[in-house]
Amino acid sequence: MSELLLLFLYCALLGSGVGFLAGLLGIGGGLVIVPVLTSILLSFGSLPSQHVVIVAIATSLASILFTSTSSAIAHHKNGNVPWDLAPWIMTGVALGALISGFMAALLPEDVVRSVFAVSVVLIALKMFYSSRKNDAETNRQLPNKGVLTLLTTITGGLSAMIGIGGGALLVPLLTFFSLDMKKAIGCASACGIVIALFGSVGYISSGSAHFALADGFLGFVYLPALFGIVCTSWFTAPLGAKATHHLPVPTIKKVFAILLLAMAANMVMS
C-alpha cells in the first residue's frame, strides 16, 4: 500500500470521527482536525516540519467549507438563521478570516502553534463548564451593527488562524448578547461557510509560493488529506446530530474537553 493511499485512509478515519463529533456536540471539526492531522503529516514526513501546522490549519478550513454548508442549509430550512443580522456578522468574519489567512504564512510556526493551543484550552474550559447554567436572567442588547462587525472581525480572524469554523467562538459571543441559542448556532453555521471560504482563499494565495498543485497542494491546502476527511465527515455529521437524542451530551462534552486539553498540551510539547 502506497504512503499516499495510507495517508488518505487515515484522513478518512479522522473525517468519520470529526463529522460525528461535529454533529453530536455542535463544534467545528478543526478543534480535532488540526492536532490530529498535524501528527499524521509529521509521521509521514510529507512536507517540511515548519509548514506542518499551517498546512493542517488550511486543510481543516477547506474541509469545514463542506460541512458548514450542509449544516447551514439544514438550519436555514428550520428558520434558525437570523438573516437580519447575518450580513453584518458575515462581513466581519469574512474580513477577519481573509486577513488571517494572508498573515498566517508570515507568522513563525511556533507562534501559530501557541495561538492554537491557548485557544483550544480556553474553548475546552468553556465546554467543560457549559453545563453549569446561570439561572439569573440577562437581557443584554446587541451592539450597533458597526461594533458587531468589529467584534466578529476579531472572531473570524482568530477562527481562521486556528482552523475552526467559528461556532465555538461566535455562539458564546452572540448568546452573551441574549440572542436565542438556536439562532446563534444557525448564524454561526452560515458564518462558518464564510470563514472557511475567505480563510482558505488567504491560505491558498499565501501558500502558492511554497507548494505546487503537481505535488497535491492548493496553496497550503493538502488535497489528499482534504478529500479523505470530506469523503466521510459529510456522511457522519448527520449521524452525530441524531445521536444527541440518545447519548448523554453534557457528559460527552466534559470528556471531549479533557481530550482537547491533552491535544493542546501535546501540540505545545511536540
Side-chain angles (χ1 to χ4, degrees):
M1 183 180 295
S2 68
E3 284 196 356
L4 187 60
L5 178 57
L6 190 58
L7 184 144
F8 177 86
L9 293 175
Y10 281 158
C11 290
L13 182 61
L14 168 61
S16 65
V18 164
F20 185 82
L21 285 173
L24 179 68
L25 303 178
I27 59 159
L31 293 173
V32 177
I33 293 173
V34 174
V36 176
L37 183 56
T38 295
S39 299
I40 291 173
L41 294 175
L42 284 173
S43 66
F44 279 89
S46 306
L47 61 158
S49 60
Q50 68 268 24
H51 290 139
V52 167
V53 175
I54 293 180
V55 167
I57 289 172
T59 305
S60 171
L61 274 180
S63 71
I64 289 169
L65 180 60
F66 295 89
T67 53
S68 289
T69 299
S70 176
S71 177
I73 291 172
H75 282 292
H76 171 69
K77 288 180 178 178
N78 291 327
N80 288 333
V81 181
W83 289 114
D84 55 327
L85 293 175
W88 296 93
I89 298 173
M90 286 180 171
T91 299
V93 298
L95 181 60
L98 189 60
I99 294 172
S100 180
F102 278 109
M103 288 184 58
L106 305 177
L107 296 174
E109 192 265 353
D110 287 344
V111 172
V112 178
R113 183 188 294 263
S114 298
V115 170
F116 179 86
V118 171
S119 301
V120 169
V121 168
L122 295 177
I123 292 169
L125 292 175
K126 174 67 171 62
M127 184 177 294
F128 189 83
Y129 290 105
S130 63
S131 61
R132 300 183 179 182
K133 298 183 182 297
N134 188 351
D135 292 330
E137 292 292 331
T138 59
N139 188 27
R140 302 184 185 91
Q141 296 296 315
L142 281 165
N144 64 61
K145 301 299 193 299
V147 174
L148 185 61
T149 301
L150 176 62
L151 291 173
T152 53
T153 297
I154 297 171
T155 302
L158 181 57
S159 298
M161 179 174 289
I162 63 177
I164 65 176
L169 302 178
L170 270 176
V171 172
L173 173 66
L174 295 176
T175 53
F176 176 81
F177 291 111
S178 303
L179 187 66
D180 177 73
M181 175 64 76
K182 290 182 180 179
K183 299 287 186 182
I185 293 173
C187 188
S189 297
C191 289
I193 301 172
V194 179
I195 292 173
L197 177 61
F198 283 84
S200 295
V201 168
Y203 280 108
I204 289 170
S205 299
S206 59
S208 59
H210 300 275
F211 299 102
L213 183 60
D215 297 320
F217 289 88
L218 190 60
F220 280 123
V221 177
Y222 191 35
L223 296 177
L226 172 64
F227 295 150
I229 293 168
V230 171
C231 76
T232 53
S233 63
W234 182 272
F235 299 102
T236 57
L239 298 178
K242 290 181 180 179
T244 58
H245 301 290
H246 307 287
L247 297 176
V249 175
T251 300
I252 294 172
K253 279 189 174 183
K254 291 182 179 181
V255 173
F256 185 69
I258 295 172
L259 176 62
L260 287 178
L261 291 175
M263 289 190 293
N266 180 65
M267 284 199 73
V268 172
M269 296 184 294
S270 62

